[in-house]
Amino acid sequence: MILVGALLGGIGLFAVLVRRTLLGVFLGLQMMTFGASVVLIAAGVATGLPVPGHIYGLFVSIAGVAQLVAGYGLCVRLFYLRKSVDLEEVGGLKH
Amino acid sequence: MIVNYALSAAAVTSALAAALVTDMRKAVLGLWICGISVGGLFLSMGAEMAAIIQWILSTITAVTFVFYAVMFGEYRGKGQSRVFWVIPSAVAAGCFAWVVAVAFPERVVDFSVGDPAEAKSAGEVGFAIADGHFLSLSVLGIILLAALVSAGTVARPSGRTEKEEE
């Protein structure tokens, strides 16, 4: 089961690296949080400490929602400024 | 434990599809299926509270992704190469063959890390959070509030840009 979590995290990292838009990057980050939650809960169950594993997995899932909310705000701001959410436009914000 | 294998295969395959497709509709669908499958995995490991929260969060996340993709004009992809479908299809076929032909007798990898019959009740986890992790819960709530407020602050339109557009 931990292998499944590691695979999900790896696929999420791949999506973060490959995607060209901010929404795609946040989609990959969500998959990484899914993988982290699976790893934490599976590790808790496998080590005989299920409740702490459940709690840490819940915290990671909810923290993933928090980063998604902040990311949506950044997306809206970027779209307001550049009329696009392409990652190519992010580098231009310093000008 | 065939359910564990099936849910694992569904989660990995849908995540791979979500990572590779350019059409945002299919990517969000893949993310939602991945989240639902991960919730099923939680339930199969006895984490019923985490499973319920995972299902709720996955659905809300998928809906908000659709909303924002529509608003940003990225709901429809710019055309998807058929080559990209080969990889998820091959992984899905491999996972299916693994589940049906190889892994079903549970001789490859032992996935039986949890037993739903020994599930910790949601109330027990809730009391554990409230008793032993109250500070962490408070910090998490403050982080969520700060993220909401800061997102609203960052996303608000500024007067300077409006004047520039005029």
Side-chain angles (χ1 to χ4, degrees):
Chain A
M1 202 63 69
I2 293 177
L3 176 68
V4 175
L7 275 174
L8 287 179
I11 293 170
L13 181 62
F14 174 75
V16 169
L17 295 176
V18 166
R19 287 284 179 177
R20 294 288 184 183
T21 64
L22 272 178
L23 282 181
V25 170
F26 292 132
L27 192 140
L29 286 174
Q30 277 299 110
M31 279 190 276
M32 291 175 74
T33 57
F34 288 171
S37 299
V38 171
V39 167
L40 284 171
I41 291 178
V45 172
T47 55
L49 296 169
V51 174
H54 297 181
I55 293 171
Y56 297 147
L58 281 175
F59 280 1
V60 167
S61 297
I62 298 172
V65 173
Q67 62 91 18
L68 193 65
V69 169
Y72 283 152
L74 284 177
C75 283
V76 170
R77 184 64 179 171
L78 184 67
F79 190 79
Y80 178 74
L81 290 174
R82 305 288 184 192
K83 306 301 179 193
S84 169
V85 287
D86 286 345
L87 282 180
E88 306 291 336
E89 301 288 341
V90 177
L93 289 179
K94 64 183 179 183
H95 299 301
Chain B
M1 285 296 140
I2 186 69
V3 177
N4 274 346
Y5 293 108
L7 288 173
S8 303
V12 172
T13 307
S14 58
L16 203 55
L20 289 175
V21 298
T22 59
D23 192 339
M24 204 61 191
R25 294 174 299 179
K26 298 184 180 72
V28 171
L29 180 64
L31 181 72
W32 182 67
I33 293 173
C34 177
I36 296 297
S37 303
V38 166
L41 284 175
F42 289 166
L43 193 61
S44 72
M45 287 190 288
E48 56 185 16
M49 186 176 185
I52 294 168
I53 291 179
Q54 176 69 28
W55 286 330
I56 295 171
L57 290 183
S58 300
T59 305
I60 292 175
T61 300
V63 171
T64 54
F65 263 115
V66 169
F67 283 161
Y68 279 90
V70 169
M71 284 196 294
F72 296 147
E74 296 196 359
Y75 192 54
R76 285 184 174 275
K78 300 178 177 68
Q80 180 64 52
S81 170
R82 292 185 185 276
V83 177
F84 281 97
W85 287 104
V86 172
I87 300 174
S89 303
V91 171
C95 289
F96 182 75
W98 181 45
V99 167
V100 172
V102 180
F104 185 47
E106 297 187 14
R107 62 172 178 251
V108 177
V109 181
D110 185 13
F111 270 42
S112 56
V113 296
D115 185 2
E118 299 175 354
K120 299 294 178 184
S121 70
E124 185 178 349
V125 176
F127 279 123
I129 292 175
D131 285 340
H133 301 270
F134 188 72
L135 179 62
S136 306
L137 188 67
S138 304
V139 170
L140 189 64
I142 292 172
I143 288 174
L144 275 171
L145 179 65
L148 280 171
V149 173
S150 60
T153 304
V154 168
R156 78 187 192 285
S158 68
R160 187 176 63 85
T161 309
E162 286 177 351
K163 289 177 182 175
E164 286 176 357
E165 285 183 353
E166 289 173 2

